[in-house]
Amino acid sequence: NAGVTQTPKFRVLKTGQSMTLLCAQDMNHEYMYWYRQDPGMGLRLIHYSVGEGTTAKGEVPDGYNVSRLKKQNFLLGLESAAPSQTSVYFCASRGRTGGPRRDTQYFGPGTRLTVL
Amino acid sequence: ELKVEQNPLFLSMQEGKNYTIYCNYSTTSDRLYWYRQDPGKSLESLFVLLSNGAVKQEGRLMASLDTKARLSTLHITAAVHDLSATYFCAVGLSNTGNQFYFGTGTSLTVIP
């Protein structure tokens, strides 16, 4: 049981390049989330999904797109990277049923992205 | 826009002392979460508080929720060095599609 995994762990992009971050979870969770973490600002929600085939915007969605074609995977795309997108990106998942801790989020290890 | 404020932002305390971290939020919610993050690491769930008056304790940490005051506290008893980390509170809003809003975090350093 790997929990939540993220690929890649580190990446350096040039301005204007594109990339996709992959999040995978093996807990059969319905909800999945993408956050960015910047110094002094806590975590901010980019996009989230309440089930396979559905996505929704969070607090800071501009410049990002997402897809959830399979229940276990949630992809975050940057079509044209900008230096303002330099950040640490965390994926999280949450189940809808099952036990007293079902309501909490389980986080992946993070992806450190630098855009030059 | 929902705001979640934590204070203090930085906390340096001696081993053996007690202290409280406060988390205020700006809208009605009965779902409050506390997480811990070690430097360079991911977030680990500490407590899930799902009703007014909820109190949870684990080891030297105790969390409580007052939904009427829109306030949660994380109390540290007899701090030890291993508790040094950044602590985040987060508010869950089910009426916005299960979004979570995080505070800016409290960086705790316990000095031997």
Side-chain angles (χ1 to χ4, degrees), chain A residues 13-89:
Chain A
L13 290 179
K14 294 181 180 179
T15 297
Q17 288 184 318
S18 63
M19 77 164 294
T20 300
L21 282 67
L22 171 63
C23 176
Q25 52 96 3
D26 61 2
M27 296 174 281
N28 201 34
H29 283 171
E30 287 78 11
Y31 305 127
M32 295 187 75
Y33 307 81
W34 275 108
Y35 293 91
R36 60 178 290 172
Q37 183 176 31
D38 302 295
M41 300 190 73
L43 276 76
R44 292 182 293 167
L45 181 64
I46 304 171
H47 287 279
Y48 64 100
S49 168
V50 299
E52 181 178 324
T54 70
T55 63
K57 294 180 180 180
E59 292 179 80
V60 289
D62 294 342
Y64 305 94
N65 56 74
V66 288
S67 65
R68 190 155 178 216
L69 300 179
K70 295 182 179 180
K71 186 177 183 179
Q72 64 267 33
N73 295 338
F74 195 28
L75 278 64
L76 177 71
L78 286 73
E79 289 187 347
S80 180
S84 61
Q85 294 177 304
T86 293
S87 187
V88 180
Y89 292 85

Side-chain angles (χ1 to χ4, degrees), chain A residues 31 33 35 37 40 42-43 45 48 50 57-59 90 94 101 103-105 107-109, chain B residues 31 33 35 37 41-43 45-48 50 88 96-104:
Chain A
Y31 305 127
Y33 307 81
Y35 293 91
Q37 183 176 31
L43 276 76
L45 181 64
Y48 64 100
V50 299
K57 294 180 180 180
E59 292 179 80
F90 287 101
R94 180 168 74 95
R101 295 186 70 82
D103 204 38
T104 193
Q105 296 181 67
F107 283 83
Chain B
R31 296 160 56 205
Y33 310 82
Y35 295 88
Q37 185 179 38
K41 303 292 187 182
S42 187
L43 282 80
S45 177
L46 293 175
F47 299 109
V48 180
L50 299 178
F88 291 95
T96 60
N98 301 286
Q99 294 191 49
F100 284 60
Y101 293 83
F102 281 77
T104 51

Side-chain angles (χ1 to χ4, degrees), chain B residues 27-112:
Chain B
T27 193
T28 302
S29 172
D30 58 0
R31 296 160 56 205
L32 195 293
Y33 310 82
W34 284 95
Y35 295 88
R36 167 182 171 143
Q37 185 179 38
D38 292 302
K41 303 292 187 182
S42 187
L43 282 80
E44 172 191 358
S45 177
L46 293 175
F47 299 109
V48 180
L49 304 169
L50 299 178
S51 62
N52 185 41
V55 178
K56 296 281 184 72
Q57 181 165 6
E58 187 162 334
R60 300 174 187 274
L61 301 178
M62 183 174 71
S64 66
L65 177 61
D66 181 344
T67 59
K68 294 179 182 176
R70 300 177 185 173
L71 170 69
S72 179
T73 61
L74 180 66
H75 187 73
I76 304 158
T77 302
V80 294
H81 181 67
D82 285 351
L83 290 179
S84 297
T86 299
Y87 294 85
F88 291 95
C89 64
V91 175
L93 294 183
S94 55
N95 63 348
T96 60
N98 301 286
Q99 294 191 49
F100 284 60
Y101 293 83
F102 281 77
T104 51
T106 296
S107 176
L108 170 66
T109 301
V110 180
I111 304 167

